[in-house]
Coordinates of all heavy atoms in Angstrom, one line a residue:
M1 N -8.0 -4.7 -18.4 CA -6.9 -4.7 -17.5 C -6.8 -6.0 -16.7 O -7.8 -6.4 -16.3 CB -7.0 -3.6 -16.5 CG -5.7 -3.3 -15.7 SD -5.8 -1.9 -14.6 CE -5.7 -0.7 -16.0
N2 N -5.6 -6.5 -16.7 CA -5.4 -7.8 -16.0 C -5.6 -7.7 -14.5 O -4.8 -6.9 -14.0 CB -4.1 -8.4 -16.4 CG -3.8 -9.8 -16.0 OD1 -4.2 -10.3 -15.0 ND2 -3.1 -10.5 -16.9
E3 N -6.4 -8.5 -13.9 CA -6.5 -8.4 -12.5 C -5.3 -8.8 -11.8 O -5.0 -8.4 -10.6 CB -7.7 -9.4 -11.9 CG -9.1 -8.7 -12.2 CD -9.3 -7.4 -11.4 OE1 -9.0 -7.4 -10.2 OE2 -9.8 -6.5 -12.0
K4 N -4.5 -9.7 -12.4 CA -3.3 -10.1 -11.7 C -2.2 -9.0 -11.4 O -1.7 -8.9 -10.5 CB -2.6 -11.2 -12.5 CG -1.2 -11.7 -12.2 CD -1.2 -12.8 -11.2 CE 0.1 -13.4 -10.8 NZ 0.7 -12.7 -9.7
H5 N -2.2 -8.1 -12.5 CA -1.4 -7.0 -12.3 C -1.9 -6.0 -11.1 O -1.0 -5.4 -10.4 CB -1.4 -6.1 -13.6 CG -0.7 -6.8 -14.8 ND1 0.5 -7.3 -14.8 CD2 -1.2 -7.1 -15.9 CE1 0.8 -7.9 -15.9 NE2 -0.3 -7.8 -16.7
I6 N -3.1 -5.9 -11.0 CA -3.7 -5.0 -9.9 C -3.4 -5.8 -8.5 O -3.0 -5.1 -7.6 CB -5.2 -5.0 -10.1 CG1 -5.6 -4.3 -11.5 CG2 -5.8 -4.2 -8.9 CD1 -4.9 -2.8 -11.6
E7 N -3.5 -7.1 -8.5 CA -3.3 -7.8 -7.2 C -1.8 -7.7 -6.9 O -1.5 -7.5 -5.7 CB -3.7 -9.2 -7.5 CG -5.2 -9.5 -7.4 CD -5.5 -10.9 -7.8 OE1 -4.7 -11.8 -7.7 OE2 -6.7 -11.1 -8.2
D8 N -0.9 -7.8 -7.9 CA 0.5 -7.6 -7.7 C 0.8 -6.3 -7.2 O 1.7 -6.1 -6.2 CB 1.3 -8.0 -8.9 CG 1.2 -9.4 -9.4 OD1 0.8 -10.3 -8.5 OD2 1.6 -9.6 -10.5
A9 N 0.2 -5.2 -7.6 CA 0.5 -3.8 -7.3 C 0.0 -3.7 -5.8 O 0.7 -3.0 -5.0 CB -0.2 -2.8 -8.2
A10 N -1.2 -4.3 -5.5 CA -1.7 -4.2 -4.1 C -0.7 -4.8 -3.2 O -0.6 -4.3 -2.0 CB -3.2 -4.8 -4.1
V11 N -0.2 -6.0 -3.5 CA 0.7 -6.7 -2.6 C 2.0 -5.9 -2.4 O 2.5 -5.7 -1.2 CB 1.1 -8.1 -3.1 CG1 2.3 -8.7 -2.4 CG2 -0.1 -9.0 -3.1
A12 N 2.5 -5.3 -3.5 CA 3.7 -4.4 -3.4 C 3.5 -3.2 -2.6 O 4.3 -2.8 -1.7 CB 4.2 -4.1 -4.9
F13 N 2.3 -2.6 -2.7 CA 1.9 -1.4 -1.9 C 1.9 -1.7 -0.5 O 2.4 -1.2 0.4 CB 0.6 -0.9 -2.4 CG 0.1 0.2 -1.7 CD1 0.5 1.6 -2.1 CD2 -0.9 0.1 -0.7 CE1 0.0 2.6 -1.3 CE2 -1.4 1.2 0.0 CZ -0.9 2.5 -0.4
G14 N 1.3 -2.9 -0.1 CA 1.1 -3.3 1.3 C 2.4 -3.7 1.8 O 2.7 -3.4 3.1
T15 N 3.2 -4.3 1.1 CA 4.7 -4.7 1.6 C 5.4 -3.5 1.9 O 6.2 -3.4 2.8 CB 5.2 -5.6 0.6 OG1 4.5 -6.8 0.3 CG2 6.7 -6.0 0.9
K16 N 5.3 -2.5 1.0 CA 6.0 -1.2 1.2 C 5.6 -0.5 2.6 O 6.4 -0.1 3.2 CB 5.8 -0.3 0.0 CG 6.6 1.0 0.1 CD 8.0 0.8 -0.1 CE 8.8 2.1 -0.1 NZ 10.1 2.0 -0.8
I17 N 4.3 -0.5 2.7 CA 3.8 0.1 4.0 C 4.4 -0.7 5.2 O 4.8 -0.2 6.2 CB 2.3 0.1 4.0 CG1 1.8 1.1 3.0 CG2 1.8 0.5 5.4 CD1 0.4 1.1 2.8
R18 N 4.3 -2.1 5.2 CA 4.8 -2.8 6.2 C 6.4 -2.6 6.5 O 6.7 -2.4 7.6 CB 4.5 -4.4 6.0 CG 5.1 -5.3 7.1 CD 4.9 -6.6 6.9 NE 3.4 -6.9 6.6 CZ 3.0 -7.5 5.3 NH1 3.8 -7.6 4.4 NH2 1.7 -7.6 5.2
H19 N 7.1 -2.4 5.4 CA 8.5 -2.3 5.4 C 8.8 -0.8 6.1 O 9.7 -0.8 7.1 CB 9.1 -2.3 4.1 CG 10.6 -1.9 4.0 ND1 11.6 -2.8 4.4 CD2 11.1 -0.7 3.6 CE1 12.8 -2.2 4.3 NE2 12.5 -0.9 3.8
L20 N 8.1 0.2 5.7 CA 8.4 1.5 6.2 C 8.0 1.6 7.6 O 8.6 2.2 8.5 CB 7.6 2.6 5.3 CG 8.1 2.8 4.0 CD1 7.2 3.6 3.2 CD2 9.6 3.3 4.0
R21 N 6.8 0.9 8.0 CA 6.4 0.9 9.3 C 7.3 0.2 10.2 O 7.7 0.7 11.4 CB 5.1 0.2 9.4 CG 4.4 0.2 10.8 CD 3.0 -0.4 10.7 NE 3.0 -1.8 10.2 CZ 3.4 -2.9 10.8 NH1 4.0 -2.8 12.1 NH2 3.4 -4.2 10.3
S22 N 7.9 -0.9 9.8 CA 8.9 -1.6 10.5 C 10.3 -0.9 10.8 O 10.8 -0.9 11.8 CB 9.2 -3.0 9.8 OG 8.1 -3.9 9.8
E23 N 10.6 0.0 9.6 CA 11.8 0.6 9.8 C 11.7 1.8 10.9 O 12.6 2.1 11.6 CB 12.1 1.5 8.5 CG 12.8 0.5 7.5 CD 13.1 1.4 6.3 OE1 12.6 2.5 6.1 OE2 14.0 0.9 5.5
L24 N 10.5 2.2 11.1 CA 10.2 3.2 12.1 C 9.9 2.6 13.5 O 9.7 3.3 14.6 CB 9.0 4.1 11.8 CG 9.1 5.0 10.6 CD1 7.9 5.7 10.3 CD2 10.1 6.1 11.0
N25 N 9.8 1.2 13.5 CA 9.6 0.4 14.7 C 8.3 0.8 15.3 O 8.2 1.0 16.6 CB 10.7 0.6 15.7 CG 10.7 -0.6 16.8 OD1 10.2 -1.6 16.4 ND2 11.1 -0.2 17.9
I26 N 7.2 1.0 14.4 CA 5.8 1.3 15.0 C 4.9 0.1 14.6 O 5.2 -0.5 13.7 CB 5.3 2.6 14.5 CG1 5.2 2.6 13.0 CG2 6.1 3.8 15.0 CD1 4.3 3.8 12.5
S27 N 4.0 -0.1 15.5 CA 3.1 -1.2 15.3 C 1.9 -0.8 14.3 O 1.8 0.3 14.0 CB 2.4 -1.6 16.7 OG 1.7 -0.5 17.2
Q28 N 1.1 -1.8 13.9 CA 0.0 -1.5 13.1 C -1.0 -0.7 13.9 O -1.7 0.2 13.4 CB -0.7 -2.8 12.7 CG 0.1 -3.6 11.6 CD -0.7 -4.9 11.3 OE1 -1.5 -5.4 11.9 NE2 -0.3 -5.4 10.1
E29 N -1.0 -0.9 15.2 CA -1.9 -0.2 16.1 C -1.5 1.3 16.1 O -2.3 2.2 15.9 CB -1.9 -0.7 17.5 CG -2.9 0.1 18.5 CD -2.8 -0.5 19.9 OE1 -1.9 -1.3 20.2 OE2 -3.7 -0.2 20.6
E30 N -0.2 1.6 16.1 CA 0.2 3.0 16.1 C 0.0 3.6 14.8 O -0.4 4.8 14.7 CB 1.8 3.0 16.5 CG 2.3 4.4 16.4 CD 1.7 5.4 17.3 OE1 1.2 5.0 18.4 OE2 1.8 6.6 17.0
L31 N 0.2 2.9 13.7 CA 0.0 3.4 12.4 C -1.6 3.7 12.3 O -2.0 4.8 11.8 CB 0.5 2.6 11.3 CG 0.3 3.1 9.9 CD1 0.9 4.5 9.7 CD2 0.8 2.1 8.9
G32 N -2.4 2.8 12.8 CA -3.8 3.1 12.8 C -4.3 4.3 13.6 O -5.1 5.1 13.2
N33 N -3.6 4.5 14.7 CA -3.9 5.7 15.4 C -3.5 7.0 14.7 O -4.2 8.0 14.8 CB -3.2 5.6 16.9 CG -3.8 4.6 17.8 OD1 -4.9 4.2 17.8 ND2 -2.9 4.2 18.7
R34 N -2.4 6.9 14.1 CA -1.8 8.1 13.4 C -2.8 8.4 12.1 O -2.7 9.6 11.8 CB -0.4 7.8 12.9 CG 0.7 7.8 14.0 CD 2.0 7.6 13.5 NE 3.0 7.4 14.5 CZ 4.4 7.5 14.3 NH1 4.8 7.7 13.1 NH2 5.1 7.3 15.3
T35 N -3.5 7.5 11.5 CA -4.2 7.6 10.5 C -5.8 7.5 10.8 O -6.4 7.7 9.9 CB -3.9 6.6 9.4 OG1 -4.0 5.3 9.9 CG2 -2.4 6.8 8.9
N36 N -6.1 7.4 12.0 CA -7.5 7.4 12.4 C -8.2 6.1 11.7 O -9.5 6.3 11.3 CB -8.2 8.7 12.1 CG -9.4 8.9 13.1 OD1 -9.5 8.4 14.0 ND2 -10.4 9.6 12.5
V37 N -7.6 5.0 11.7 CA -8.3 3.8 11.1 C -7.9 2.7 12.1 O -7.0 2.8 12.9 CB -8.0 3.4 9.7 CG1 -8.3 4.4 8.7 CG2 -6.5 3.0 9.5
S38 N -8.6 1.5 12.1 CA -8.4 0.4 13.0 C -7.1 -0.4 12.6 O -6.6 -0.3 11.4 CB -9.6 -0.6 13.0 OG -9.6 -1.3 11.7
T39 N -6.7 -1.0 13.6 CA -5.4 -1.8 13.5 C -5.7 -2.9 12.4 O -4.9 -3.2 11.6 CB -5.1 -2.6 14.8 OG1 -4.9 -1.5 15.8 CG2 -3.9 -3.5 14.7
N40 N -7.0 -3.5 12.5 CA -7.4 -4.5 11.5 C -7.3 -3.9 10.0 O -6.8 -4.6 9.1 CB -8.7 -4.9 11.7 CG -8.8 -5.9 13.0 OD1 -7.8 -6.4 13.4 ND2 -10.0 -5.9 13.5
H41 N -7.7 -2.7 9.9 CA -7.7 -2.1 8.5 C -6.3 -2.0 8.0 O -6.0 -2.2 6.9 CB -8.4 -0.7 8.5 CG -8.8 -0.3 7.3 ND1 -9.9 -0.8 6.5 CD2 -8.3 0.7 6.4 CE1 -10.0 -0.1 5.4 NE2 -8.9 0.8 5.2
I42 N -5.4 -1.5 8.9 CA -4.0 -1.4 8.5 C -3.5 -2.9 8.1 O -2.8 -3.0 7.0 CB -3.0 -0.9 9.6 CG1 -3.5 0.6 10.0 CG2 -1.6 -1.0 9.2 CD1 -3.3 1.6 8.8
G43 N -3.8 -3.9 8.9 CA -3.4 -5.2 8.5 C -4.0 -5.6 7.1 O -3.3 -6.3 6.4
Y44 N -5.3 -5.3 6.9 CA -5.9 -5.7 5.5 C -5.1 -5.1 4.4 O -4.8 -5.6 3.3 CB -7.4 -5.3 5.5 CG -8.2 -5.9 6.5 CD1 -9.3 -5.3 7.2 CD2 -8.2 -7.4 6.8 CE1 -10.2 -5.9 8.1 CE2 -9.0 -8.0 7.5 CZ -10.1 -7.2 8.3 OH -10.9 -7.9 9.1
I45 N -4.7 -3.7 4.6 CA -4.0 -3.0 3.6 C -2.5 -3.7 3.3 O -2.2 -4.0 2.1 CB -3.9 -1.6 3.9 CG1 -5.3 -0.9 3.8 CG2 -3.0 -0.9 2.9 CD1 -5.3 0.4 4.5
E46 N -1.9 -4.0 4.4 CA -0.6 -4.6 4.3 C -0.7 -6.0 3.7 O 0.3 -6.4 3.0 CB 0.1 -4.7 5.6 CG 0.6 -3.4 6.2 CD 1.3 -3.4 7.5 OE1 1.4 -4.6 8.2 OE2 1.8 -2.4 8.1
R47 N -1.7 -6.7 3.8 CA -1.9 -8.1 3.3 C -2.6 -8.0 2.0 O -3.0 -9.0 1.3 CB -2.7 -8.9 4.2 CG -1.9 -9.3 5.5 CD -2.7 -10.4 6.2 NE -4.0 -10.0 6.7 CZ -4.3 -9.3 7.7 NH1 -3.5 -8.8 8.5 NH2 -5.7 -9.0 7.9
A48 N -2.9 -6.8 1.5 CA -3.5 -6.6 0.1 C -4.9 -7.2 0.1 O -5.5 -7.6 -1.0 CB -2.7 -7.1 -1.0
E49 N -5.6 -7.2 1.2 CA -7.0 -7.7 1.2 C -8.0 -6.5 1.1 O -9.1 -6.8 0.9 CB -7.2 -8.4 2.7 CG -6.4 -9.7 2.8 CD -6.5 -10.2 4.0 OE1 -7.2 -9.8 5.0 OE2 -5.8 -11.2 4.3
R50 N -7.5 -5.3 1.3 CA -8.3 -4.1 1.0 C -7.5 -3.0 0.4 O -6.3 -2.9 0.5 CB -8.9 -3.5 2.4 CG -9.7 -4.4 3.2 CD -11.0 -3.7 3.5 NE -11.8 -4.7 4.1 CZ -12.2 -4.7 5.5 NH1 -11.7 -3.7 6.3 NH2 -13.0 -5.6 5.9
Q51 N -8.2 -2.2 -0.4 CA -7.5 -1.1 -1.2 C -8.0 0.2 -0.5 O -9.2 0.5 -0.4 CB -7.9 -1.1 -2.6 CG -7.4 -2.3 -3.3 CD -7.8 -2.4 -4.7 OE1 -8.4 -1.6 -5.2 NE2 -7.4 -3.5 -5.4
P52 N -6.9 1.1 -0.1 CA -7.3 2.2 0.7 C -7.7 3.4 -0.2 O -7.3 3.3 -1.5 CB -5.9 2.8 1.4 CG -4.9 2.0 0.5 CD -5.6 0.8 0.0
S53 N -8.5 4.3 0.3 CA -8.8 5.5 -0.6 C -7.6 6.3 -0.7 O -6.5 6.3 0.0 CB -9.9 6.3 0.2 OG -9.3 6.8 1.4
L54 N -7.7 7.3 -1.6 CA -6.5 8.3 -1.7 C -6.3 9.0 -0.5 O -5.2 9.2 -0.1 CB -6.9 9.2 -2.9 CG -5.9 10.3 -3.1 CD1 -4.6 9.7 -3.6 CD2 -6.5 11.2 -4.3
K55 N -7.4 9.4 0.1 CA -7.3 10.2 1.4 C -6.5 9.4 2.4 O -5.5 9.9 3.2 CB -8.7 10.5 2.0 CG -8.6 11.3 3.3 CD -10.0 11.6 3.7 CE -10.1 12.4 5.1 NZ -11.6 12.7 5.5
L56 N -6.7 8.0 2.6 CA -6.0 7.2 3.5 C -4.6 7.0 3.0 O -3.7 7.0 3.8 CB -6.7 5.9 3.7 CG -6.1 4.9 4.7 CD1 -5.8 5.6 6.2 CD2 -6.9 3.7 5.0
I57 N -4.4 6.9 1.7 CA -3.0 6.7 1.3 C -2.1 7.9 1.6 O -1.0 7.7 2.1 CB -3.0 6.5 -0.3 CG1 -3.6 5.2 -0.8 CG2 -1.5 6.7 -0.8 CD1 -3.9 5.0 -2.2
I58 N -2.6 9.0 1.4 CA -2.0 10.3 1.9 C -1.7 10.4 3.3 O -0.7 10.7 3.8 CB -2.6 11.6 1.4 CG1 -2.6 11.6 -0.2 CG2 -2.0 12.8 1.9 CD1 -3.5 12.6 -0.9
A59 N -2.7 10.0 4.2 CA -2.6 9.9 5.6 C -1.5 8.9 6.1 O -0.7 9.2 6.9 CB -3.9 9.6 6.2
I60 N -1.4 7.8 5.5 CA -0.4 6.8 5.7 C 1.0 7.4 5.4 O 1.9 7.2 6.2 CB -0.8 5.6 5.0 CG1 -1.9 4.8 5.5 CG2 0.6 4.5 5.0 CD1 -2.5 3.6 4.7
A61 N 1.1 8.0 4.2 CA 2.4 8.5 3.8 C 2.9 9.5 4.8 O 3.9 9.5 5.3 CB 2.3 9.1 2.4
F62 N 2.0 10.4 5.2 CA 2.4 11.5 6.1 C 2.7 11.0 7.5 O 3.6 11.5 8.2 CB 1.3 12.6 6.2 CG 1.1 13.4 5.0 CD1 0.1 14.3 4.9 CD2 2.0 13.3 3.9 CE1 -0.2 15.0 3.8 CE2 1.8 14.1 2.8 CZ 0.8 15.0 2.7
A63 N 1.9 9.8 7.9 CA 2.2 9.2 9.2 C 3.6 8.5 9.3 O 4.1 8.2 10.3 CB 1.1 8.3 9.5
L64 N 4.1 8.1 8.1 CA 5.3 7.3 8.0 C 6.6 8.0 8.3 O 7.6 7.3 8.8 CB 5.4 6.3 6.8 CG 4.3 5.2 7.0 CD1 4.2 4.3 5.6 CD2 4.6 4.3 8.1
P65 N 6.9 9.1 8.1 CA 6.6 10.2 7.1 C 7.4 10.1 5.8 O 8.6 10.2 5.8 CB 7.0 11.4 7.9 CG 8.0 11.1 8.8 CD 8.0 9.6 9.0
V66 N 6.7 9.9 4.7 CA 7.3 9.9 3.4 C 6.4 10.6 2.4 O 5.2 10.8 2.7 CB 7.5 8.4 2.9 CG1 8.5 7.6 3.8 CG2 6.2 7.6 2.8
H67 N 7.0 10.9 1.2 CA 6.1 11.4 0.1 C 5.2 10.3 -0.3 O 5.6 9.2 -0.4 CB 7.0 11.9 -1.0 CG 6.3 12.7 -2.0 ND1 5.5 12.0 -3.0 CD2 6.2 14.0 -2.2 CE1 5.0 13.0 -3.8 NE2 5.4 14.1 -3.3
P68 N 3.9 10.6 -0.6 CA 3.0 9.6 -1.0 C 3.5 8.7 -2.2 O 3.2 7.5 -2.2 CB 1.7 10.3 -1.4 CG 1.8 11.6 -0.6 CD 3.2 11.9 -0.4
A69 N 4.3 9.3 -3.1 CA 4.8 8.6 -4.2 C 5.7 7.4 -3.8 O 5.8 6.4 -4.5 CB 5.5 9.4 -5.1
T70 N 6.3 7.6 -2.7 CA 7.3 6.5 -2.1 C 6.5 5.2 -1.9 O 7.0 4.1 -2.1 CB 7.8 7.0 -0.7 OG1 8.5 8.2 -1.1 CG2 8.8 5.9 -0.1
L71 N 5.2 5.3 -1.5 CA 4.4 4.1 -1.2 C 4.2 3.2 -2.5 O 3.9 2.1 -2.4 CB 3.0 4.4 -0.8 CG 3.1 5.2 0.6 CD1 1.6 5.5 1.1 CD2 3.9 4.5 1.7
F72 N 4.4 3.8 -3.7 CA 4.2 3.1 -5.1 C 5.5 2.8 -5.7 O 5.4 2.1 -6.8 CB 3.4 4.1 -5.9 CG 2.0 4.4 -5.3 CD1 1.8 5.5 -4.6 CD2 0.9 3.4 -5.6 CE1 0.5 5.8 -4.0 CE2 -0.4 3.8 -5.1 CZ -0.5 4.9 -4.4
D73 N 6.6 3.1 -5.1 CA 7.9 3.0 -5.9 C 8.3 1.5 -6.1 O 9.2 1.4 -6.9 CB 9.0 3.8 -5.4 CG 9.5 3.5 -4.0 OD1 9.1 2.4 -3.5 OD2 10.3 4.2 -3.4
T74 N 7.8 0.7 -5.5 CA 8.1 -0.8 -5.7 C 7.1 -1.5 -6.7 O 7.2 -2.7 -6.9 CB 8.3 -1.6 -4.4 OG1 6.9 -1.4 -3.7 CG2 9.4 -1.0 -3.5
I75 N 6.1 -0.8 -7.1 CA 5.2 -1.4 -8.0 C 5.7 -1.4 -9.5 O 6.1 -0.4 -10.0 CB 3.8 -0.7 -8.0 CG1 3.2 -0.7 -6.6 CG2 2.9 -1.1 -9.1 CD1 1.9 0.1 -6.5
E76 N 5.8 -2.6 -9.9 CA 6.4 -2.8 -11.3 C 5.4 -2.7 -12.4 O 4.2 -3.1 -12.3 CB 7.2 -4.1 -11.4 CG 8.3 -4.2 -10.5 CD 9.1 -5.5 -10.8 OE1 9.1 -6.0 -11.9 OE2 9.7 -5.9 -9.7
L77 N 5.7 -1.9 -13.5 CA 4.8 -1.9 -14.6 C 4.8 -3.2 -15.3 O 5.7 -3.9 -15.4 CB 5.3 -0.9 -15.6 CG 5.2 0.6 -15.0 CD1 5.8 1.5 -16.1 CD2 3.8 1.0 -14.8
P78 N 3.7 -3.6 -15.8 CA 3.5 -4.9 -16.5 C 4.4 -4.9 -17.8 O 4.5 -3.9 -18.4 CB 2.0 -4.9 -17.0 CG 1.3 -4.1 -16.0 CD 2.3 -3.0 -15.7
S79 N 5.1 -6.0 -17.9 CA 6.0 -6.1 -19.2 C 5.3 -6.7 -20.4 O 5.9 -6.7 -21.4 CB 7.1 -7.1 -18.7 OG 6.7 -8.3 -18.3
D80 N 4.1 -7.1 -20.2 CA 3.3 -7.7 -21.3 C 2.8 -6.5 -22.1 O 2.0 -5.7 -21.7 CB 2.1 -8.5 -20.7 CG 1.2 -9.1 -21.7 OD1 1.5 -9.0 -22.9 OD2 0.2 -9.7 -21.4
P81 N 3.2 -6.4 -23.5 CA 2.8 -5.4 -24.3 C 1.3 -5.4 -24.5 O 0.7 -4.2 -24.8 CB 3.5 -5.6 -25.6 CG 4.4 -6.8 -25.4 CD 4.1 -7.4 -24.0
E82 N 0.7 -6.4 -24.5 CA -0.9 -6.5 -24.6 C -1.5 -5.8 -23.5 O -2.7 -5.4 -23.6 CB -1.4 -7.9 -24.8 CG -0.9 -8.6 -26.0 CD -1.4 -10.1 -26.2 OE1 -2.5 -10.3 -25.4 OE2 -0.9 -10.8 -26.9
F83 N -0.9 -5.7 -22.3 CA -1.6 -4.9 -21.3 C -1.9 -3.5 -21.7 O -3.0 -2.9 -21.2 CB -0.5 -4.9 -20.1 CG -1.2 -4.2 -18.8 CD1 -1.9 -4.7 -18.0 CD2 -0.7 -2.7 -18.7 CE1 -2.4 -3.9 -16.9 CE2 -1.1 -2.0 -17.7 CZ -2.0 -2.6 -16.7
Y84 N -1.1 -2.9 -22.4 CA -1.3 -1.5 -22.8 C -2.2 -1.3 -23.9 O -2.5 -0.2 -24.4 CB 0.1 -0.8 -23.1 CG 1.0 -0.9 -21.9 CD1 2.1 -1.9 -21.8 CD2 0.8 -0.1 -20.8 CE1 2.8 -2.0 -20.6 CE2 1.5 -0.1 -19.6 CZ 2.6 -1.1 -19.6 OH 3.3 -1.2 -18.5
T85 N -2.6 -2.3 -24.6 CA -3.5 -2.3 -25.8 C -4.9 -2.7 -25.5 O -5.7 -2.7 -26.4 CB -2.9 -3.1 -27.1 OG1 -2.8 -4.4 -26.7 CG2 -1.6 -2.4 -27.5
E86 N -5.2 -3.3 -24.4 CA -6.4 -3.9 -24.0 C -7.5 -2.7 -23.8 O -7.2 -1.7 -23.4 CB -6.4 -4.8 -22.7 CG -5.6 -5.9 -22.9 CD -5.5 -6.7 -21.6 OE1 -6.0 -6.4 -20.6 OE2 -4.8 -7.8 -21.7

C-alpha cells in the first residue's frame, strides 16, 4: 500500500474535522473537552500528525455531532489501478 495514499487520507480526515468544528464555531479546546483528549491531540489529528483510534473517531463524530462515516466522506479512493493489486 502506498504511504502517500494513507497520508492524503489522513490530511482529508483532519481537514474534515477542522471544517466541521469550525462550522459549529467550537475551538480545539472545546472539542478536546467533549472527547476527553488534549487540545494538542486534536491539533495533531487536524494536521494529520497523529492517527486517532476507532474509539476516538467515534467520540469526535458524536461530539460534532455527525455520523462517523461523515468524517471519511472527503477521502478519495486511489485512481492508480496498481494500488488494488499490490
Side-chain angles (χ1 to χ4, degrees):
M1 184 171 298
N2 186 326
E3 283 297 314
K4 174 84 170 93
H5 295 302
I6 302 299
E7 290 172 19
D8 291 347
V11 168
F13 179 81
T15 300
K16 181 69 173 202
I17 291 171
R18 183 180 303 114
H19 174 77
L20 292 169
R21 182 179 58 73
S22 294
E23 281 185 342
L24 291 174
N25 199 29
I26 62 172
S27 65
Q28 288 180 342
E29 181 178 16
E30 176 60 26
L31 184 56
N33 289 338
R34 292 181 183 190
T35 57
N36 202 32
V37 297
S38 72
T39 303
N40 287 339
H41 197 74
I42 297 297
Y44 293 141
I45 293 167
E46 288 185 357
R47 292 187 305 275
E49 295 173 3
R50 298 236 175 109
Q51 296 177 1
S53 67
L54 178 58
K55 182 178 178 180
L56 183 52
I57 290 168
I58 293 168
I60 290 169
F62 291 172
L64 285 176
V66 296
H67 190 281
T70 303
L71 301 179
F72 297 94
D73 68 7
T74 58
I75 296 174
E76 295 187 26
L77 292 174
S79 59
D80 180 5
E82 291 183 20
F83 176 82
Y84 301 100
T85 59
E86 292 178 3

